[in-house]
């Protein structure tokens, strides 16, 4: 990049403890082109020698400079040469190497030595279980060698690597392998060349004892592509789904977006120590093992779906991120938001649109809506940052995808179903081989689809989730829909302009539930009314069908109308939304003490009636039934209240769950007995497994002893991880002998499988058990727990932070545990540590007693010496 280290782009005179603020408006093109880079690695676990040779020339499109700034981080040059001659006139500016160069082309050669085994940050080149691998996004390449580590510097890479053959029998890099051979003293070497210019964040290298599950794919133009998924030998049997998902992704991208793969080889490597989910390095994707390994005994249905989606996501980056990359890190949503949309559309086609859309919205509301209403709120194209790794957020990814989905909706509704595709084709054609901006993407969609997106650009610059107030009136045969929008104030943005909000609506007959068709309305001013003729009585409004816009809808709708929508709406998302709205309204009012006995009883009857209809509706497939059975999460309920009392919400939610378990006991048992008979691979079996566990959840709340027996029986008879994990999840929340017995069995059964042991930690940390905090404390002392593996840390502590009943303990013990973790983890892996801060950063949304305790912990973290940039930025922004 490095915008972050360029003094011309930083605030003046930051304190030593306070990293500089970097501003998008201050972007300047890098004064030097790096046309080619040649890298030579002499590999060793604890002493790898790296020699880089850069072919540089002045950038005619940038302001000239007689010095080239080469970013570094924790490395020291052993030698520096220019045009073959050793030079000593270089200097260090912080971690960066400043090298004087006269105008003209030069070859710069720099040698460094690094210790991968000591790299606990897992950025740059690091060791993982005896192998070497890299992670360079966003700023990891500077931990390998000195380089202008910014995404707008595109270079052609040639790499030679050598090392002990016994230790590193497989040597992988980006692009195509062009030569290999044997060296002296038991070493061997390989040379790789990537013909496509790329930024340094897309560089990748892997060396280790690996075995491939291999296949091939023939592109539509006839190119034969070799496909390999590289893992440890014992893991090969669990890679078939990953290989199949890759092939599906390649086929789908050709059909849906016209994008064809452009190398002869595509490699995926699974790594157990990884900060993220996966990385789209050109031709050599590096994956967290969590998103590669699966078989029915060790992976759930959700795991299978996640693997397919993440493999699709990283493959789709080959065009939306690699062939066209981002100019600077402020444009991160250009590649991530667009690619999330692409992976969502892919998964919809693979798994079914209705349920996938509901799942995506549930994730958005759980992760991004709270972010948008808190101290860390930022636009999908941020204006500033201190540490870029903090902006790999739900806003950039998930809201970014929703914004581009709205473009797609507007384009295809106005100019035909292929209009958005015309825009994306134009984008790829215009900017292939370039580092582009969000504006470049918007302009391509405008030109390709024939849209005017002038006002729509506000979605890129304004933070906050818009609120749309809805009212429906009736006079004569006219129904009048009035919509009002408000974009709330967020940090640094107090006054907001109205944004164009596309909303699909239908008006249902309140007797039959039928409607005359769906319409797309665009609310592009603060208030707007729409008239609909032909209604002799007030219809029932179905709005934001398919979740066409990432907004909150505020409307006064009586229970009968919500019951109609929950039972009869032909839009699956709108049906789900009505059910959620019915329950949310009841639980929020109950938690705030606003329900009279009469209103409480009426709400309980309505919810019971709606859920009974769902359980008995033969027209529903079980996958959709499972979504409709889900109660709103406690975290989502807390977001609906200005100063939420987590204890009151937990009590009301569990009370409603128990009541439904009692009132619908026969229905739940009937449903459970039906789906328990369905074979693992029978049609509809995935949905059956989903509702089976959901039925157990309700039974556990109302009849825990009986549910414990059923769950233990399900666990013992399970022939797949979905059923076994579902049963153990229910047991973890109960105080019963079956709980202890099955937890011991689960650990002993899967003790050698790190991913499944992660599940064992997570199930206990997430449980409803009243002693969950004590269980987490004990698990932190378990021999299998370590702070050095991000998966293991997340499996215990991220799960605990996502368990409102335990995390929000009234005495603040949960807050102290997470603060202690952040302080312990920050020196080891600051990127992972910083991701725990937002759990405490929600303190303004919590009732005063707990709020004060959360703030105390944030202040304790902020006062710690030598905080990383990652954690410092998150904590100071959270404190405001």
């Amino acid at each position: 990049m490095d915008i972050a280290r360029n003094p011309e782009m930083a605030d003046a005179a930051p304190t030593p403890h306070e990293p500089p603020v970097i501003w998008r408006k201050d972007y300047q093109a890098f004064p030097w082109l790096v046309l080619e880079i040649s890298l030579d690695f002499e590999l060793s676990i604890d002493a790898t020698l790296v020699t880089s040779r850069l072919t540089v020339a002045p950038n005619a499109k940038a302001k000239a400079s007689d010095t080239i700034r080469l970013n570094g981080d924790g490395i020291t040059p052993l030698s520096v040469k220019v045009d073959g001659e050793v030079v000593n006139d270089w200097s260090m500016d912080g971690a960066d190497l400043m090298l004087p160069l006269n105008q003209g082309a030069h070859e710069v050669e720099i040698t460094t030595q690094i210790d991968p085994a000591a790299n606990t940050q897992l950025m740059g080149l690091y060791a993982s279980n005896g192998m070497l691998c890299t992670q360079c996004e966003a700023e990891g390449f500077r931990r390998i060698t000195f380089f202008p580590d910014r995404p707008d510097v595109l270079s052609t890479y040639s790499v030679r690597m050598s090392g002990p053959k016994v230790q590193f029998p497989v040597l992988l890099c980006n692009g195509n392998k062009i030569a290999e051979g044997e060296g002296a003293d038991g070493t061997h070497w390989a040379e790789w060349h990537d013909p496509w210019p790329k930024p340094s964040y897309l560089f990748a290298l892997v060396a280790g004892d690996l075995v491939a599950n291999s296949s091939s794919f023939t592109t539509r133009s006839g190119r034969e592509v070799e496909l390999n998924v590289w893992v440890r030998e014992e893991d090969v049997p669990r890679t078939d789904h990953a290989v199949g998902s890759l092939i599906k992704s390649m086929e789908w991208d050709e059909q849906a977006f016209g994008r064809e793969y452009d190398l002869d080889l595509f490699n995926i490597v699974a790594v157990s120590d990884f900060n993220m989910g996966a990385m789209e390095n050109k031709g050599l994707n590096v994956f967290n093992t969590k998103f590669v390994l699966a078989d029915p005994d060790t992976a759930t249905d959700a795991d299978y779906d996640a693997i397919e989606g993440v493999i699709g996501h990283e493959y789709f980056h080959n065009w939306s991120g690699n062939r066209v990359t981002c100019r600077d890190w402020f444009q991160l949503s250009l590649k991530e938001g667009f690619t999330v949309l692409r992976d969502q559309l892919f998964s919809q086609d693979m798994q079914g649109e209705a349920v996938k859309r509901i799942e995506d919205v549930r994730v958005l509301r759980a992760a991004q809506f709270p972010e948008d209403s808190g101290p860390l709120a930022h636009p999908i194209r941020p204006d500033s940052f201190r540490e870029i790794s903090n902006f790999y957020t739900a806003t950039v990814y998930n809201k970014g995808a929703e914004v581009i989905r709205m473009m797609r909706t507007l384009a295809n509704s106005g100019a035909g179903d292929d209009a958005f595709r015309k825009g994306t084709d134009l984008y790829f054609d215009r900017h292939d081989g370039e580092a582009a901006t969000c504006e470049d993407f918007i302009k391509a969609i405008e030109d390709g689809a024939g849209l005017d997106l002038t006002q729509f650009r506000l979605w890129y610059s304004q933070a906050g989730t818009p609120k749309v107030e809805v009212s429906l009136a009736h006079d004569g045969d006219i129904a009048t829909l009035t919509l009002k929008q408000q974009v709330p104030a967020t940090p640094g943005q107090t006054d907001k302009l109205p944004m164009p909000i596309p909303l699909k609506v239908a008006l249902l007959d309140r007797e039959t539930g039928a409607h005359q068709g769906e319409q797309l309305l665009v609310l592009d001013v603060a208030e707007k009314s729409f008239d609909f003729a032909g209604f002799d009585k007030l219809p029932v409004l179905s709005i934001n069908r398919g979740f066409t816009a990432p907004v909150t809808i505020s409307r006064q709708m009586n229970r009968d109308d919500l019951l109609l929508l929950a039972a009869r709406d032909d839009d699956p998302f709108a049906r789900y939304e009505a059910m959620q709205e019915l329950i949310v309204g009841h639980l929020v009012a109950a938690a705030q003490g606003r329900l009279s006995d009469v209103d409480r009883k009426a709400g309980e009857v309505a919810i019971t009636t709606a859920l009974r209809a769902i359980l008995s509706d033969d027209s529903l497939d079980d996958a959709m039934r499972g979504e409709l059975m889900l109660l709103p999460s406690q975290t989502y309920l807390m977001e609906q209240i200005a100063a939420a009392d987590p204890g009151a919400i937990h009590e009301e939610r569990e009370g409603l769950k128990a009541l439904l378990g009692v009132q619908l006991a026969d229905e739940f048992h009937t449903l459970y007995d039906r789906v328990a008979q369905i074979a693992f691979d029978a049609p509809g079996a995935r949905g059956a497994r989903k509702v089976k566990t959901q039925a157990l959840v309700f039974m556990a709340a109302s009849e825990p002893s009986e549910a414990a027996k059923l769950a233990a029986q399900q666990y013992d008879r399970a022939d797949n991880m979905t059923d076994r994990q579902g049963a153990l999840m229910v047991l973890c929340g109960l105080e019963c002998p079956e709980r202890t017995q099955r937890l011991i069995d689960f650990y002993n059964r899967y003790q050698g499988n790190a991913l499944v042991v992660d599940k064992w930690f997570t199930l206990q940390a997430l449980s409803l058990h009243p002693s969950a905090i004590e269980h987490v404390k004990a698990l932190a002392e378990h021999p299998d727990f370590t702070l050095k593996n991000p998966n293991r840390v997340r499996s215990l502590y991220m799960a605990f932070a996502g368990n409102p009943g335990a995390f929000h303990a009234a005495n603040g013990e949960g807050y102290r545990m997470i603060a202690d973790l952040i302080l312990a983890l920050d020196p080891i892996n600051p990127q992972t540590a910083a991701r725990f801060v937002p759990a405490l950063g929600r303190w303004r949304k919590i009732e005063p007693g707990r709020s004060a305790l959360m703030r105390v912990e944030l202040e304790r973290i902020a006062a710690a010496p030598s905080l990383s940039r990652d954690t410092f930025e998150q904590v100071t922004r959270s404190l405001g």
Side-chain angles (χ1 to χ4, degrees):
M1 184 159 85
D2 177 28
I3 302 171
R5 304 302 184 283
N6 187 337
E8 298 174 351
M9 303 185 66
D11 281 355
T15 66
H17 186 61
E18 184 175 346
V21 177
I22 315 305
W23 295 92
R24 178 170 57 89
K25 62 183 175 60
D26 292 332
Y27 169 82
Q28 294 180 20
F30 193 65
W32 294 88
L33 302 174
V34 182
L35 303 173
E36 298 178 358
I37 176 172
S38 173
L39 292 165
D40 191 311
F41 290 86
E42 295 180 24
L43 299 172
S44 168
I45 285 288
D46 54 9
T48 290
L49 197 67
V50 184
T51 301
S52 61
R53 298 176 184 86
L54 284 58
T55 302
V56 304
N59 183 358
K61 297 180 180 179
K63 182 180 178 180
S65 174
D66 58 4
T67 300
I68 186 169
R69 175 182 288 271
L70 302 173
N71 305 124
D73 182 1
I75 56 176
T76 302
L78 300 181
S79 71
V80 180
K81 295 181 181 179
V82 175
D83 299 326
E85 300 293 329
V86 174
V87 296
N88 297 303
D89 58 347
W90 54 271
S91 61
M92 299 299 294
D93 181 12
D96 296 347
L97 189 150
M98 308 296 290
L99 180 62
L101 290 177
N102 55 38
Q103 292 297 298
H106 301 279
E107 181 180 90
V108 176
E109 179 180 311
I110 302 175
T111 300
T112 58
Q113 183 170 292
I114 53 180
D115 182 357
N119 185 357
T120 62
Q121 293 186 31
L122 310 185
M123 290 292 290
L125 179 67
Y126 65 92
S128 174
N129 289 330
M131 63 187 287
L132 294 176
C133 57
T134 57
Q135 170 58 30
C136 292
E137 189 177 357
E139 297 178 341
F141 192 72
R142 66 187 63 190
R143 294 174 61 81
I144 298 172
T145 190
F146 290 96
F147 192 80
D149 192 12
R150 44 190 285 167
D152 60 344
V153 176
L154 307 183
S155 311
T156 301
Y157 281 66
S158 297
V159 179
R160 186 183 195 277
M161 61 183 91
S162 61
K165 188 171 184 178
V166 172
Q167 190 172 16
F168 307 124
V170 174
L171 303 173
L172 304 173
C173 199
N174 307 92
N176 297 316
K177 183 161 63 175
I178 58 174
E180 61 183 332
E182 302 293 322
D185 303 322
T187 63
H188 70 143
W189 57 270
E191 293 180 355
W192 293 76
H193 177 67
D194 185 355
W196 300 102
K198 64 175 179 283
S200 54
Y201 81 85
L202 289 173
F203 171 76
L205 175 155
V206 174
D209 188 1
L210 300 166
V211 177
N213 184 344
S214 300
S215 187
S216 64
F217 179 78
T218 304
T219 68
R220 61 182 181 178
S221 67
R223 178 195 293 269
E224 187 79 9
V225 181
E226 178 186 342
L227 309 178
N228 297 302
V229 174
W230 295 90
V231 294
R232 297 178 305 174
E233 184 173 11
E234 60 268 30
D235 290 331
V236 171
R238 294 194 287 154
T239 58
D240 286 345
H241 179 62
V243 173
S245 298
L246 176 58
I247 292 171
K248 288 179 183 178
S249 301
M250 300 177 83
E251 291 173 341
W252 183 88
D253 209 21
E254 289 189 351
Q255 296 165 6
F257 282 88
R259 300 299 107 191
E260 184 175 334
Y261 190 60
D262 52 7
L263 290 169
D264 300 327
L265 180 64
F266 191 94
N267 285 317
I268 289 174
V269 178
V271 179
S272 57
D273 297 296
F274 203 66
N275 283 335
M276 301 182 184
M279 180 61 208
E280 70 267 19
N281 316 296
K282 183 74 177 182
L284 176 57
N285 285 191
V286 179
F287 270 64
N288 191 318
T289 51
K290 179 177 181 179
F291 296 107
V292 172
L293 304 180
D295 63 21
D297 184 53
T298 60
T300 65
D301 295 333
D303 293 330
Y304 272 83
D305 290 346
I307 289 169
E308 184 176 77
V310 174
I311 283 180
H313 180 97
E314 304 307 329
Y315 173 76
F316 302 146
H317 265 314
N318 187 60
W319 277 91
S320 52
N322 296 3
R323 286 285 288 266
V324 184
T325 192
C326 48
R327 185 195 72 179
D328 54 68
W329 291 120
F330 296 104
Q331 320 295 330
L332 183 58
S333 196
L334 172 72
K335 74 182 187 77
E336 294 301 347
F338 185 26
T339 306
V340 169
L341 174 64
R342 277 152 55 72
D343 82 54
Q344 289 176 349
L345 297 175
F346 166 66
S347 294
Q348 286 179 193
D349 287 348
M350 298 300 109
Q351 302 164 20
E353 181 175 358
V355 170
K356 175 59 179 168
R357 187 64 185 133
I358 291 170
E359 290 174 350
D360 290 339
V361 174
R362 194 165 60 244
V363 169
L364 183 81
R365 286 173 168 171
Q368 197 279 322
F369 277 21
E371 191 170 86
D372 235 356
S373 64
L376 302 178
H378 55 277
I380 64 171
R381 182 185 57 202
D383 294 319
S384 67
F385 62 77
R386 294 184 189 273
E387 170 52 57
I388 184 55
S389 66
N390 288 332
F391 283 85
Y392 285 75
T393 61
T395 296
V396 166
Y397 280 66
N398 302 78
K399 184 177 181 179
E402 294 297 328
V403 169
I404 298 173
R405 186 186 287 264
M406 285 191 290
M407 280 194 218
R408 180 174 180 262
T409 298
L410 291 168
N412 291 349
S413 66
D417 289 345
D418 63 344
F420 182 72
R421 168 68 186 275
K422 290 178 180 177
T424 60
D425 284 350
L426 183 59
Y427 167 69
F428 290 126
D429 290 344
R430 277 182 180 172
H431 301 290
D432 188 12
E434 295 181 1
T437 65
C438 293
E439 176 58 30
D440 292 329
F441 181 82
I442 299 168
K443 191 67 171 65
I445 302 300
E446 276 187 320
D447 294 346
L451 288 175
D452 181 355
L453 295 173
T454 302
Q455 185 189 13
F456 190 88
R457 286 168 169 81
L458 289 168
W459 281 99
Y460 279 83
S461 59
Q462 293 188 163
T465 303
K467 178 181 179 181
V468 178
E469 294 185 16
V470 177
S471 63
L472 185 65
H474 181 258
D475 185 17
D477 70 341
I478 302 294
T480 300
L481 174 62
T482 300
L483 304 175
K484 300 178 183 179
Q485 68 162 291
Q486 178 190 9
V487 187
T490 52
Q493 294 184 342
T494 54
D495 300 319
K496 306 292 181 71
L497 295 172
M499 302 195 291
I501 300 174
L503 296 165
K504 287 184 179 179
V505 304
L507 298 175
L508 277 62
D509 182 276
R510 62 180 54 255
E511 301 298 329
T512 66
H515 61 82
Q516 299 173 6
E518 185 177 78
Q519 298 186 48
L520 179 67
L521 309 179
V522 179
L523 174 62
D524 53 7
V525 292
E527 181 176 346
K528 197 171 188 177
S529 293
F530 303 86
D531 289 337
F532 303 88
F535 293 92
D536 58 2
K537 56 189 173 184
L538 183 68
V540 177
L541 174 67
S542 172
I543 190 168
N544 208 15
R545 294 162 65 84
F547 199 73
T548 43
V551 301
T552 60
I553 300 293
S554 175
R555 58 180 175 177
Q556 298 298 318
M557 181 169 278
N558 63 50
R559 293 189 185 99
D560 289 341
D561 288 353
L562 288 173
L563 284 170
L564 174 72
L565 294 173
R568 299 189 183 182
D569 202 320
D570 62 351
D571 180 83
F573 175 79
R575 187 174 184 182
Y576 164 84
E577 185 77 329
M579 189 68 187
Q580 294 289 295
E581 194 172 337
L582 183 67
I583 300 171
V584 168
H586 175 81
L587 288 176
V588 166
Q592 292 181 310
R594 295 189 286 108
L595 284 184
S596 67
D597 290 344
V598 172
D599 284 340
R600 178 182 287 274
K601 181 64 176 177
E604 291 170 350
V605 169
I607 294 167
T608 303
T609 300
L611 187 53
R612 177 177 282 114
I614 288 164
L615 296 176
S616 60
D617 187 348
D618 292 335
S619 68
L620 277 176
D621 66 77
D622 283 328
M624 184 64 189
R625 194 188 322 276
E627 291 296 327
L628 294 172
M629 290 171 67
L630 287 171
L631 293 181
S633 72
Q634 183 171 333
T635 300
Y636 181 69
L637 291 168
M638 288 164 57
E639 287 298 314
Q640 314 309 308
I641 302 173
D645 181 341
I649 293 172
H650 180 78
E651 182 179 349
E652 290 292 346
R653 186 177 183 274
E654 292 306 305
L656 177 63
K657 191 193 300 180
L659 180 139
L660 292 169
V662 171
Q663 295 294 321
L664 300 173
D666 290 343
E667 287 85 349
F668 284 126
H669 281 280
T670 298
L671 173 64
Y672 187 89
D673 291 342
R674 174 179 69 79
V675 297
Q677 307 305 313
I678 298 176
F680 171 75
D681 55 355
R686 286 167 55 98
R689 289 190 285 274
K690 190 174 190 176
V691 298
K692 185 194 301 184
T693 294
Q694 285 303 309
L696 263 183
V697 166
F698 284 100
M699 287 188 274
S702 57
E703 43 183 342
S705 297
E706 179 64 23
K709 294 176 184 176
L710 272 178
Q713 183 181 78
Q714 177 175 312
Y715 178 96
D716 294 341
R717 296 178 178 178
D719 60 357
N720 62 87
M721 179 54 76
T722 304
D723 279 347
R724 180 167 286 119
Q725 178 176 306
L728 189 58
M729 180 268 291
V730 170
L731 287 171
C732 277
L734 302 175
E735 186 62 75
C736 60
E738 293 91 344
R739 175 187 187 277
T740 304
Q741 294 162 4
R742 272 59 183 190
L743 278 171
I744 292 171
D745 178 81
F746 192 89
Y747 178 79
N748 290 336
R749 182 187 297 254
Y750 299 109
Q751 186 172 359
N753 187 313
L755 292 178
V756 184
V757 173
D758 285 342
K759 295 176 183 291
W760 184 76
F761 278 94
T762 294
L763 288 170
Q764 295 175 78
L766 272 177
S767 83
L768 294 172
H769 197 283
S771 299
I773 289 181
E774 297 305 316
H775 295 159
V776 171
K777 287 180 182 178
L779 289 167
E781 301 298 323
H782 193 279
D784 282 353
F785 184 76
T786 174
L787 289 179
K788 293 186 177 180
N789 179 269
N791 280 358
R792 188 54 45 84
V793 174
R794 288 187 289 257
S795 73
L796 182 61
Y797 283 107
M798 196 63 79
F800 173 73
N803 180 350
F807 176 64
H808 289 290
N811 64 0
E813 189 171 7
Y815 310 146
R816 288 191 294 276
M817 286 176 61
I818 293 301
D820 288 343
L821 168 73
I822 292 168
L823 290 170
L825 187 58
D826 189 58
I828 300 171
N829 189 327
Q831 189 176 123
T832 300
R835 295 188 182 278
F836 285 89
V837 175
L840 294 170
R842 302 300 295 157
W843 61 275
R844 291 177 180 85
K845 291 287 292 182
I846 306 299
E847 54 83 18
R850 289 178 172 89
S851 176
L853 296 171
M854 296 172 82
R855 184 181 176 106
V856 164
E857 297 305 326
L858 284 169
E859 290 171 341
R860 179 162 69 94
I861 299 169
S866 304
L867 276 183
S868 67
R869 287 190 324 231
D870 310 63
T871 300
F872 177 87
E873 180 176 33
Q874 293 288 74
V875 171
T876 53
R877 290 178 65 207
S878 295
L879 286 168

